[in-house]
Amino acid sequence: SILRRSRARRGGKRVRFAQVTVYYFARRQGFTCVPSAGGSSLGMAPRHHRARRYSLSQFAHLRQVSHRQHLRQHLRREKLRARRRELTQNGTVPSAEAAGLTLADVSDDDLDVGQVEVGDYFYLQPLPTKRRRALLRASGVRRIDAEERQELRALRLSREQCGCHCRLTCEPRTCACSQAGIQCQ
């Protein structure tokens, strides 16, 4: 067939990757992304402070180890929340014992890491505002800009409304799209 001849002529040329270069950036307050709730978006410094090269197999192994650690931390937090709920009768009765529990109180024996397939589980998870702020402080960010919260809220609200309210025909005098110089949506 024609397809077989064209493949044979190409001679099996392929792109092959031998290395992965990972660039490391310091964490900064974002101003470039919009989290789904709250303020304090996470970002990175404009320039990397370190770069490392890995072979493909080394990088795959490092990713697997990293994903397993993230999974273990996630399961540890879930177990801690469950214990606190139990001690407070599903969150209705305050408990000093529940308030004193920390992640260190959850041992590796309490986690069912073996029953979860890391590849199936791992994807970026949204972080609550408190955790984002803690990450920023741990990274050395001294002052977290409080005005970002209002800016992000305004952005989220503006993204909920897209286009104009014209129905069958466009009324240029009242159409928000037309007034902004955009073709009517």
PDB file of all heavy atoms in Angstrom, residues 2-40:
ATOM      1  N   ILE A   2       0.297   2.365  -0.231  1.00  0.00           N
ATOM      2  CA  ILE A   2       1.025   3.643  -0.251  1.00  0.00           C
ATOM      3  C   ILE A   2       1.599   3.957   1.123  1.00  0.00           C
ATOM      4  O   ILE A   2       2.712   4.449   1.241  1.00  0.00           O
ATOM      5  CB  ILE A   2       0.095   4.771  -0.722  1.00  0.00           C
ATOM      6  CG1 ILE A   2      -0.352   4.520  -2.153  1.00  0.00           C
ATOM      7  CG2 ILE A   2       0.755   6.119  -0.589  1.00  0.00           C
ATOM      8  CD1 ILE A   2      -1.431   5.470  -2.610  1.00  0.00           C
ATOM      9  N   LEU A   3       0.856   3.644   2.166  1.00  0.00           N
ATOM     10  CA  LEU A   3       1.318   3.930   3.525  1.00  0.00           C
ATOM     11  C   LEU A   3       2.586   3.148   3.854  1.00  0.00           C
ATOM     12  O   LEU A   3       3.500   3.667   4.463  1.00  0.00           O
ATOM     13  CB  LEU A   3       0.221   3.606   4.535  1.00  0.00           C
ATOM     14  CG  LEU A   3      -1.012   4.491   4.482  1.00  0.00           C
ATOM     15  CD1 LEU A   3      -2.057   3.981   5.463  1.00  0.00           C
ATOM     16  CD2 LEU A   3      -0.650   5.923   4.783  1.00  0.00           C
ATOM     17  N   ARG A   4       2.636   1.907   3.481  1.00  0.00           N
ATOM     18  CA  ARG A   4       3.821   1.081   3.774  1.00  0.00           C
ATOM     19  C   ARG A   4       5.039   1.610   3.043  1.00  0.00           C
ATOM     20  O   ARG A   4       6.128   1.647   3.595  1.00  0.00           O
ATOM     21  CB  ARG A   4       3.562  -0.368   3.375  1.00  0.00           C
ATOM     22  CG  ARG A   4       2.666  -1.069   4.351  1.00  0.00           C
ATOM     23  CD  ARG A   4       2.615  -2.548   4.047  1.00  0.00           C
ATOM     24  NE  ARG A   4       1.550  -3.135   4.829  1.00  0.00           N
ATOM     25  CZ  ARG A   4       0.760  -4.089   4.431  1.00  0.00           C
ATOM     26  NH1 ARG A   4       0.892  -4.585   3.207  1.00  0.00           N
ATOM     27  NH2 ARG A   4      -0.162  -4.574   5.212  1.00  0.00           N
ATOM     28  N   ARG A   5       4.880   2.032   1.789  1.00  0.00           N
ATOM     29  CA  ARG A   5       6.014   2.547   1.025  1.00  0.00           C
ATOM     30  C   ARG A   5       6.544   3.838   1.634  1.00  0.00           C
ATOM     31  O   ARG A   5       7.738   4.045   1.728  1.00  0.00           O
ATOM     32  CB  ARG A   5       5.614   2.773  -0.431  1.00  0.00           C
ATOM     33  CG  ARG A   5       5.699   1.489  -1.238  1.00  0.00           C
ATOM     34  CD  ARG A   5       5.482   1.772  -2.690  1.00  0.00           C
ATOM     35  NE  ARG A   5       4.023   1.714  -2.911  1.00  0.00           N
ATOM     36  CZ  ARG A   5       3.368   2.338  -3.851  1.00  0.00           C
ATOM     37  NH1 ARG A   5       4.005   3.102  -4.705  1.00  0.00           N
ATOM     38  NH2 ARG A   5       2.077   2.217  -3.975  1.00  0.00           N
ATOM     39  N   SER A   6       5.649   4.727   2.069  1.00  0.00           N
ATOM     40  CA  SER A   6       6.114   5.994   2.633  1.00  0.00           C
ATOM     41  C   SER A   6       6.838   5.769   3.947  1.00  0.00           C
ATOM     42  O   SER A   6       7.821   6.432   4.248  1.00  0.00           O
ATOM     43  CB  SER A   6       4.955   6.974   2.814  1.00  0.00           C
ATOM     44  OG  SER A   6       4.095   6.516   3.814  1.00  0.00           O
ATOM     45  N   ARG A   7       6.405   4.801   4.744  1.00  0.00           N
ATOM     46  CA  ARG A   7       7.096   4.478   6.001  1.00  0.00           C
ATOM     47  C   ARG A   7       8.467   3.890   5.714  1.00  0.00           C
ATOM     48  O   ARG A   7       9.436   4.202   6.387  1.00  0.00           O
ATOM     49  CB  ARG A   7       6.284   3.473   6.824  1.00  0.00           C
ATOM     50  CG  ARG A   7       5.228   4.115   7.636  1.00  0.00           C
ATOM     51  CD  ARG A   7       4.657   3.111   8.618  1.00  0.00           C
ATOM     52  NE  ARG A   7       3.265   3.458   8.881  1.00  0.00           N
ATOM     53  CZ  ARG A   7       2.298   2.614   9.101  1.00  0.00           C
ATOM     54  NH1 ARG A   7       2.547   1.323   9.087  1.00  0.00           N
ATOM     55  NH2 ARG A   7       1.090   3.020   9.341  1.00  0.00           N
ATOM     56  N   ALA A   8       8.548   3.038   4.713  1.00  0.00           N
ATOM     57  CA  ALA A   8       9.817   2.400   4.377  1.00  0.00           C
ATOM     58  C   ALA A   8      10.827   3.440   3.893  1.00  0.00           C
ATOM     59  O   ALA A   8      12.008   3.344   4.201  1.00  0.00           O
ATOM     60  CB  ALA A   8       9.604   1.331   3.319  1.00  0.00           C
ATOM     61  N   ARG A   9      10.376   4.418   3.142  1.00  0.00           N
ATOM     62  CA  ARG A   9      11.282   5.453   2.652  1.00  0.00           C
ATOM     63  C   ARG A   9      11.814   6.324   3.780  1.00  0.00           C
ATOM     64  O   ARG A   9      12.920   6.807   3.727  1.00  0.00           O
ATOM     65  CB  ARG A   9      10.551   6.339   1.642  1.00  0.00           C
ATOM     66  CG  ARG A   9      10.585   5.765   0.265  1.00  0.00           C
ATOM     67  CD  ARG A   9      10.036   6.771  -0.727  1.00  0.00           C
ATOM     68  NE  ARG A   9       9.022   6.096  -1.519  1.00  0.00           N
ATOM     69  CZ  ARG A   9       7.833   6.548  -1.819  1.00  0.00           C
ATOM     70  NH1 ARG A   9       7.459   7.736  -1.405  1.00  0.00           N
ATOM     71  NH2 ARG A   9       6.987   5.854  -2.519  1.00  0.00           N
ATOM     72  N   ARG A  10      11.009   6.578   4.783  1.00  0.00           N
ATOM     73  CA  ARG A  10      11.443   7.436   5.885  1.00  0.00           C
ATOM     74  C   ARG A  10      12.574   6.806   6.684  1.00  0.00           C
ATOM     75  O   ARG A  10      13.320   7.497   7.349  1.00  0.00           O
ATOM     76  CB  ARG A  10      10.275   7.739   6.819  1.00  0.00           C
ATOM     77  CG  ARG A  10       9.370   8.808   6.259  1.00  0.00           C
ATOM     78  CD  ARG A  10       8.353   9.213   7.269  1.00  0.00           C
ATOM     79  NE  ARG A  10       7.088   8.552   6.927  1.00  0.00           N
ATOM     80  CZ  ARG A  10       6.119   8.284   7.750  1.00  0.00           C
ATOM     81  NH1 ARG A  10       6.225   8.596   9.001  1.00  0.00           N
ATOM     82  NH2 ARG A  10       5.021   7.695   7.346  1.00  0.00           N
ATOM     83  N   GLY A  11      12.689   5.528   6.646  1.00  0.00           N
ATOM     84  CA  GLY A  11      13.794   4.853   7.310  1.00  0.00           C
ATOM     85  C   GLY A  11      13.700   4.801   8.825  1.00  0.00           C
ATOM     86  O   GLY A  11      14.716   4.682   9.500  1.00  0.00           O
ATOM     87  N   GLY A  12      12.543   4.912   9.396  1.00  0.00           N
ATOM     88  CA  GLY A  12      12.389   4.754  10.837  1.00  0.00           C
ATOM     89  C   GLY A  12      12.958   5.910  11.649  1.00  0.00           C
ATOM     90  O   GLY A  12      13.397   5.709  12.769  1.00  0.00           O
ATOM     91  N   LYS A  13      12.997   7.106  11.116  1.00  0.00           N
ATOM     92  CA  LYS A  13      13.479   8.255  11.874  1.00  0.00           C
ATOM     93  C   LYS A  13      12.491   8.562  12.982  1.00  0.00           C
ATOM     94  O   LYS A  13      11.296   8.673  12.754  1.00  0.00           O
ATOM     95  CB  LYS A  13      13.614   9.476  10.971  1.00  0.00           C
ATOM     96  CG  LYS A  13      14.677   9.329   9.920  1.00  0.00           C
ATOM     97  CD  LYS A  13      14.746  10.582   9.086  1.00  0.00           C
ATOM     98  CE  LYS A  13      15.706  10.397   7.946  1.00  0.00           C
ATOM     99  NZ  LYS A  13      15.729  11.576   7.073  1.00  0.00           N
ATOM    100  N   ARG A  14      13.026   8.706  14.174  1.00  0.00           N
ATOM    101  CA  ARG A  14      12.189   8.981  15.334  1.00  0.00           C
ATOM    102  C   ARG A  14      12.921   9.925  16.276  1.00  0.00           C
ATOM    103  O   ARG A  14      14.137   9.955  16.304  1.00  0.00           O
ATOM    104  CB  ARG A  14      11.870   7.696  16.094  1.00  0.00           C
ATOM    105  CG  ARG A  14      11.024   6.752  15.297  1.00  0.00           C
ATOM    106  CD  ARG A  14      10.659   5.570  16.139  1.00  0.00           C
ATOM    107  NE  ARG A  14       9.832   4.684  15.347  1.00  0.00           N
ATOM    108  CZ  ARG A  14       9.986   3.390  15.278  1.00  0.00           C
ATOM    109  NH1 ARG A  14      10.951   2.816  15.956  1.00  0.00           N
ATOM    110  NH2 ARG A  14       9.183   2.652  14.547  1.00  0.00           N
ATOM    111  N   VAL A  15      12.152  10.614  17.048  1.00  0.00           N
ATOM    112  CA  VAL A  15      12.734  11.450  18.095  1.00  0.00           C
ATOM    113  C   VAL A  15      12.845  10.587  19.335  1.00  0.00           C
ATOM    114  O   VAL A  15      11.901   9.920  19.730  1.00  0.00           O
ATOM    115  CB  VAL A  15      11.829  12.675  18.388  1.00  0.00           C
ATOM    116  CG1 VAL A  15      12.372  13.477  19.558  1.00  0.00           C
ATOM    117  CG2 VAL A  15      11.694  13.530  17.157  1.00  0.00           C
ATOM    118  N   ARG A  16      13.995  10.601  19.941  1.00  0.00           N
ATOM    119  CA  ARG A  16      14.209   9.827  21.162  1.00  0.00           C
ATOM    120  C   ARG A  16      14.804  10.748  22.216  1.00  0.00           C
ATOM    121  O   ARG A  16      15.729  11.494  21.935  1.00  0.00           O
ATOM    122  CB  ARG A  16      15.141   8.654  20.913  1.00  0.00           C
ATOM    123  CG  ARG A  16      14.526   7.648  19.970  1.00  0.00           C
ATOM    124  CD  ARG A  16      15.489   6.520  19.708  1.00  0.00           C
ATOM    125  NE  ARG A  16      14.990   5.738  18.608  1.00  0.00           N
ATOM    126  CZ  ARG A  16      14.705   4.462  18.695  1.00  0.00           C
ATOM    127  NH1 ARG A  16      14.912   3.813  19.800  1.00  0.00           N
ATOM    128  NH2 ARG A  16      14.226   3.821  17.652  1.00  0.00           N
ATOM    129  N   PHE A  17      14.266  10.652  23.392  1.00  0.00           N
ATOM    130  CA  PHE A  17      14.750  11.470  24.489  1.00  0.00           C
ATOM    131  C   PHE A  17      15.636  10.621  25.384  1.00  0.00           C
ATOM    132  O   PHE A  17      15.321   9.480  25.686  1.00  0.00           O
ATOM    133  CB  PHE A  17      13.580  12.034  25.295  1.00  0.00           C
ATOM    134  CG  PHE A  17      12.716  12.955  24.490  1.00  0.00           C
ATOM    135  CD1 PHE A  17      11.569  12.498  23.862  1.00  0.00           C
ATOM    136  CD2 PHE A  17      13.066  14.286  24.356  1.00  0.00           C
ATOM    137  CE1 PHE A  17      10.776  13.349  23.124  1.00  0.00           C
ATOM    138  CE2 PHE A  17      12.273  15.145  23.600  1.00  0.00           C
ATOM    139  CZ  PHE A  17      11.128  14.680  22.985  1.00  0.00           C
ATOM    140  N   ALA A  18      16.746  11.199  25.828  1.00  0.00           N
ATOM    141  CA  ALA A  18      17.676  10.466  26.677  1.00  0.00           C
ATOM    142  C   ALA A  18      17.725  11.052  28.081  1.00  0.00           C
ATOM    143  O   ALA A  18      18.076  10.352  29.022  1.00  0.00           O
ATOM    144  CB  ALA A  18      19.075  10.486  26.069  1.00  0.00           C
ATOM    145  N   GLN A  19      17.383  12.323  28.205  1.00  0.00           N
ATOM    146  CA  GLN A  19      17.503  12.983  29.501  1.00  0.00           C
ATOM    147  C   GLN A  19      16.287  13.856  29.781  1.00  0.00           C
ATOM    148  O   GLN A  19      15.571  14.261  28.872  1.00  0.00           O
ATOM    149  CB  GLN A  19      18.737  13.886  29.532  1.00  0.00           C
ATOM    150  CG  GLN A  19      20.042  13.152  29.495  1.00  0.00           C
ATOM    151  CD  GLN A  19      21.201  14.134  29.631  1.00  0.00           C
ATOM    152  OE1 GLN A  19      21.042  15.342  29.489  1.00  0.00           O
ATOM    153  NE2 GLN A  19      22.370  13.601  29.900  1.00  0.00           N
ATOM    154  N   VAL A  20      16.137  14.150  31.065  1.00  0.00           N
ATOM    155  CA  VAL A  20      15.117  15.089  31.515  1.00  0.00           C
ATOM    156  C   VAL A  20      15.849  16.149  32.327  1.00  0.00           C
ATOM    157  O   VAL A  20      16.638  15.815  33.209  1.00  0.00           O
ATOM    158  CB  VAL A  20      14.061  14.394  32.407  1.00  0.00           C
ATOM    159  CG1 VAL A  20      13.081  15.395  32.973  1.00  0.00           C
ATOM    160  CG2 VAL A  20      13.348  13.310  31.640  1.00  0.00           C
ATOM    161  N   THR A  21      15.609  17.410  32.031  1.00  0.00           N
ATOM    162  CA  THR A  21      16.186  18.488  32.815  1.00  0.00           C
ATOM    163  C   THR A  21      15.082  19.081  33.667  1.00  0.00           C
ATOM    164  O   THR A  21      14.035  19.485  33.153  1.00  0.00           O
ATOM    165  CB  THR A  21      16.788  19.586  31.908  1.00  0.00           C
ATOM    166  OG1 THR A  21      17.733  18.989  31.031  1.00  0.00           O
ATOM    167  CG2 THR A  21      17.468  20.658  32.733  1.00  0.00           C
ATOM    168  N   VAL A  22      15.309  19.118  34.975  1.00  0.00           N
ATOM    169  CA  VAL A  22      14.331  19.650  35.914  1.00  0.00           C
ATOM    170  C   VAL A  22      14.879  20.967  36.453  1.00  0.00           C
ATOM    171  O   VAL A  22      16.002  21.017  36.958  1.00  0.00           O
ATOM    172  CB  VAL A  22      14.075  18.666  37.076  1.00  0.00           C
ATOM    173  CG1 VAL A  22      13.073  19.243  38.070  1.00  0.00           C
ATOM    174  CG2 VAL A  22      13.590  17.336  36.551  1.00  0.00           C
ATOM    175  N   TYR A  23      14.087  22.026  36.336  1.00  0.00           N
ATOM    176  CA  TYR A  23      14.460  23.337  36.838  1.00  0.00           C
ATOM    177  C   TYR A  23      13.728  23.588  38.146  1.00  0.00           C
ATOM    178  O   TYR A  23      12.524  23.344  38.248  1.00  0.00           O
ATOM    179  CB  TYR A  23      14.109  24.422  35.820  1.00  0.00           C
ATOM    180  CG  TYR A  23      14.892  24.300  34.538  1.00  0.00           C
ATOM    181  CD1 TYR A  23      14.390  23.589  33.457  1.00  0.00           C
ATOM    182  CD2 TYR A  23      16.150  24.872  34.430  1.00  0.00           C
ATOM    183  CE1 TYR A  23      15.114  23.464  32.281  1.00  0.00           C
ATOM    184  CE2 TYR A  23      16.888  24.751  33.263  1.00  0.00           C
ATOM    185  CZ  TYR A  23      16.365  24.042  32.195  1.00  0.00           C
ATOM    186  OH  TYR A  23      17.081  23.907  31.039  1.00  0.00           O
ATOM    187  N   TYR A  24      14.434  24.094  39.134  1.00  0.00           N
ATOM    188  CA  TYR A  24      13.864  24.362  40.451  1.00  0.00           C
ATOM    189  C   TYR A  24      13.733  25.872  40.652  1.00  0.00           C
ATOM    190  O   TYR A  24      14.686  26.616  40.456  1.00  0.00           O
ATOM    191  CB  TYR A  24      14.739  23.755  41.551  1.00  0.00           C
ATOM    192  CG  TYR A  24      14.794  22.257  41.484  1.00  0.00           C
ATOM    193  CD1 TYR A  24      15.752  21.607  40.715  1.00  0.00           C
ATOM    194  CD2 TYR A  24      13.872  21.484  42.177  1.00  0.00           C
ATOM    195  CE1 TYR A  24      15.794  20.226  40.644  1.00  0.00           C
ATOM    196  CE2 TYR A  24      13.911  20.104  42.106  1.00  0.00           C
ATOM    197  CZ  TYR A  24      14.871  19.483  41.337  1.00  0.00           C
ATOM    198  OH  TYR A  24      14.909  18.116  41.261  1.00  0.00           O
ATOM    199  N   PHE A  25      12.547  26.306  41.051  1.00  0.00           N
ATOM    200  CA  PHE A  25      12.253  27.717  41.258  1.00  0.00           C
ATOM    201  C   PHE A  25      11.848  27.939  42.706  1.00  0.00           C
ATOM    202  O   PHE A  25      11.199  27.085  43.317  1.00  0.00           O
ATOM    203  CB  PHE A  25      11.082  28.155  40.370  1.00  0.00           C
ATOM    204  CG  PHE A  25      11.392  28.152  38.910  1.00  0.00           C
ATOM    205  CD1 PHE A  25      11.334  26.975  38.172  1.00  0.00           C
ATOM    206  CD2 PHE A  25      11.736  29.320  38.262  1.00  0.00           C
ATOM    207  CE1 PHE A  25      11.623  26.964  36.814  1.00  0.00           C
ATOM    208  CE2 PHE A  25      12.021  29.326  36.905  1.00  0.00           C
ATOM    209  CZ  PHE A  25      11.963  28.150  36.192  1.00  0.00           C
ATOM    210  N   ALA A  26      12.196  29.092  43.239  1.00  0.00           N
ATOM    211  CA  ALA A  26      11.730  29.471  44.568  1.00  0.00           C
ATOM    212  C   ALA A  26      10.240  29.789  44.474  1.00  0.00           C
ATOM    213  O   ALA A  26       9.761  30.269  43.446  1.00  0.00           O
ATOM    214  CB  ALA A  26      12.499  30.688  45.067  1.00  0.00           C
ATOM    215  N   ARG A  27       9.534  29.517  45.542  1.00  0.00           N
ATOM    216  CA  ARG A  27       8.094  29.784  45.567  1.00  0.00           C
ATOM    217  C   ARG A  27       7.854  31.248  45.922  1.00  0.00           C
ATOM    218  O   ARG A  27       8.525  31.824  46.762  1.00  0.00           O
ATOM    219  CB  ARG A  27       7.434  28.880  46.617  1.00  0.00           C
ATOM    220  CG  ARG A  27       5.943  28.822  46.507  1.00  0.00           C
ATOM    221  CD  ARG A  27       5.340  27.925  47.566  1.00  0.00           C
ATOM    222  NE  ARG A  27       5.800  26.559  47.508  1.00  0.00           N
ATOM    223  CZ  ARG A  27       5.265  25.596  46.751  1.00  0.00           C
ATOM    224  NH1 ARG A  27       4.259  25.877  45.973  1.00  0.00           N
ATOM    225  NH2 ARG A  27       5.728  24.379  46.789  1.00  0.00           N
ATOM    226  N   ARG A  28       6.894  31.853  45.254  1.00  0.00           N
ATOM    227  CA  ARG A  28       6.500  33.237  45.488  1.00  0.00           C
ATOM    228  C   ARG A  28       4.982  33.314  45.500  1.00  0.00           C
ATOM    229  O   ARG A  28       4.314  32.386  45.077  1.00  0.00           O
ATOM    230  CB  ARG A  28       7.002  34.158  44.362  1.00  0.00           C
ATOM    231  CG  ARG A  28       8.489  34.203  44.214  1.00  0.00           C
ATOM    232  CD  ARG A  28       9.097  35.137  45.249  1.00  0.00           C
ATOM    233  NE  ARG A  28      10.538  35.275  45.032  1.00  0.00           N
ATOM    234  CZ  ARG A  28      11.460  34.635  45.723  1.00  0.00           C
ATOM    235  NH1 ARG A  28      11.121  33.809  46.673  1.00  0.00           N
ATOM    236  NH2 ARG A  28      12.737  34.820  45.484  1.00  0.00           N
ATOM    237  N   GLN A  29       4.471  34.460  45.954  1.00  0.00           N
ATOM    238  CA  GLN A  29       3.032  34.666  45.842  1.00  0.00           C
ATOM    239  C   GLN A  29       2.739  34.851  44.368  1.00  0.00           C
ATOM    240  O   GLN A  29       3.465  35.541  43.657  1.00  0.00           O
ATOM    241  CB  GLN A  29       2.593  35.881  46.642  1.00  0.00           C
ATOM    242  CG  GLN A  29       1.094  35.970  46.751  1.00  0.00           C
ATOM    243  CD  GLN A  29       0.638  37.014  47.763  1.00  0.00           C
ATOM    244  OE1 GLN A  29       1.444  37.653  48.414  1.00  0.00           O
ATOM    245  NE2 GLN A  29      -0.663  37.167  47.882  1.00  0.00           N
ATOM    246  N   GLY A  30       1.681  34.196  43.890  1.00  0.00           N
ATOM    247  CA  GLY A  30       1.454  34.041  42.471  1.00  0.00           C
ATOM    248  C   GLY A  30       1.148  35.248  41.634  1.00  0.00           C
ATOM    249  O   GLY A  30       1.950  35.662  40.818  1.00  0.00           O
ATOM    250  N   PHE A  31      -0.010  35.832  41.767  1.00  0.00           N
ATOM    251  CA  PHE A  31      -0.499  36.913  40.927  1.00  0.00           C
ATOM    252  C   PHE A  31      -0.666  36.486  39.478  1.00  0.00           C
ATOM    253  O   PHE A  31      -0.917  37.317  38.622  1.00  0.00           O
ATOM    254  CB  PHE A  31       0.410  38.150  40.991  1.00  0.00           C
ATOM    255  CG  PHE A  31       0.571  38.704  42.376  1.00  0.00           C
ATOM    256  CD1 PHE A  31       1.737  38.509  43.077  1.00  0.00           C
ATOM    257  CD2 PHE A  31      -0.460  39.407  42.977  1.00  0.00           C
ATOM    258  CE1 PHE A  31       1.897  39.023  44.348  1.00  0.00           C
ATOM    259  CE2 PHE A  31      -0.308  39.920  44.253  1.00  0.00           C
ATOM    260  CZ  PHE A  31       0.870  39.723  44.940  1.00  0.00           C
ATOM    261  N   THR A  32      -0.494  35.210  39.152  1.00  0.00           N
ATOM    262  CA  THR A  32      -0.638  34.758  37.769  1.00  0.00           C
ATOM    263  C   THR A  32      -1.689  33.676  37.611  1.00  0.00           C
ATOM    264  O   THR A  32      -2.052  33.346  36.494  1.00  0.00           O
ATOM    265  CB  THR A  32       0.694  34.208  37.218  1.00  0.00           C
ATOM    266  OG1 THR A  32       1.158  33.175  38.085  1.00  0.00           O
ATOM    267  CG2 THR A  32       1.723  35.306  37.115  1.00  0.00           C
ATOM    268  N   CYS A  33      -2.156  33.101  38.701  1.00  0.00           N
ATOM    269  CA  CYS A  33      -3.189  32.072  38.606  1.00  0.00           C
ATOM    270  C   CYS A  33      -4.359  32.483  39.493  1.00  0.00           C
ATOM    271  O   CYS A  33      -4.223  33.328  40.356  1.00  0.00           O
ATOM    272  CB  CYS A  33      -2.638  30.705  39.007  1.00  0.00           C
ATOM    273  SG  CYS A  33      -2.172  30.612  40.735  1.00  0.00           S
ATOM    274  N   VAL A  34      -5.478  31.841  39.269  1.00  0.00           N
ATOM    275  CA  VAL A  34      -6.676  32.154  40.041  1.00  0.00           C
ATOM    276  C   VAL A  34      -7.154  30.867  40.717  1.00  0.00           C
ATOM    277  O   VAL A  34      -7.737  30.004  40.071  1.00  0.00           O
ATOM    278  CB  VAL A  34      -7.796  32.730  39.133  1.00  0.00           C
ATOM    279  CG1 VAL A  34      -9.031  33.065  39.949  1.00  0.00           C
ATOM    280  CG2 VAL A  34      -7.300  33.947  38.386  1.00  0.00           C
ATOM    281  N   PRO A  35      -6.877  30.720  42.027  1.00  0.00           N
ATOM    282  CA  PRO A  35      -7.372  29.531  42.727  1.00  0.00           C
ATOM    283  C   PRO A  35      -8.895  29.558  42.788  1.00  0.00           C
ATOM    284  O   PRO A  35      -9.515  30.627  42.704  1.00  0.00           O
ATOM    285  CB  PRO A  35      -6.749  29.639  44.127  1.00  0.00           C
ATOM    286  CG  PRO A  35      -6.284  31.040  44.262  1.00  0.00           C
ATOM    287  CD  PRO A  35      -6.129  31.616  42.901  1.00  0.00           C
ATOM    288  N   SER A  36      -9.504  28.401  42.935  1.00  0.00           N
ATOM    289  CA  SER A  36     -10.961  28.321  42.911  1.00  0.00           C
ATOM    290  C   SER A  36     -11.606  28.983  44.125  1.00  0.00           C
ATOM    291  O   SER A  36     -12.783  29.313  44.088  1.00  0.00           O
ATOM    292  CB  SER A  36     -11.407  26.867  42.800  1.00  0.00           C
ATOM    293  OG  SER A  36     -10.857  26.122  43.859  1.00  0.00           O
ATOM    294  N   ALA A  37     -10.844  29.190  45.216  1.00  0.00           N
ATOM    295  CA  ALA A  37     -11.382  29.852  46.401  1.00  0.00           C
ATOM    296  C   ALA A  37     -10.252  30.544  47.150  1.00  0.00           C
ATOM    297  O   ALA A  37      -9.101  30.101  47.113  1.00  0.00           O
ATOM    298  CB  ALA A  37     -12.057  28.839  47.314  1.00  0.00           C
ATOM    299  N   GLY A  38     -10.578  31.635  47.836  1.00  0.00           N
ATOM    300  CA  GLY A  38      -9.610  32.314  48.686  1.00  0.00           C
ATOM    301  C   GLY A  38      -8.567  33.101  47.926  1.00  0.00           C
ATOM    302  O   GLY A  38      -8.640  33.274  46.721  1.00  0.00           O
ATOM    303  N   GLY A  39      -7.590  33.583  48.676  1.00  0.00           N
ATOM    304  CA  GLY A  39      -6.504  34.370  48.106  1.00  0.00           C
ATOM    305  C   GLY A  39      -5.194  33.633  48.206  1.00  0.00           C
ATOM    306  O   GLY A  39      -5.160  32.416  48.375  1.00  0.00           O
ATOM    307  N   SER A  40      -4.092  34.368  48.134  1.00  0.00           N
ATOM    308  CA  SER A  40      -2.746  33.809  48.257  1.00  0.00           C
ATOM    309  C   SER A  40      -2.462  32.740  47.210  1.00  0.00           C
ATOM    310  O   SER A  40      -2.241  31.571  47.533  1.00  0.00           O
ATOM    311  CB  SER A  40      -2.517  33.221  49.650  1.00  0.00           C
ATOM    312  OG  SER A  40      -2.814  34.159  50.634  1.00  0.00           O
TER     313      SER A  40
END
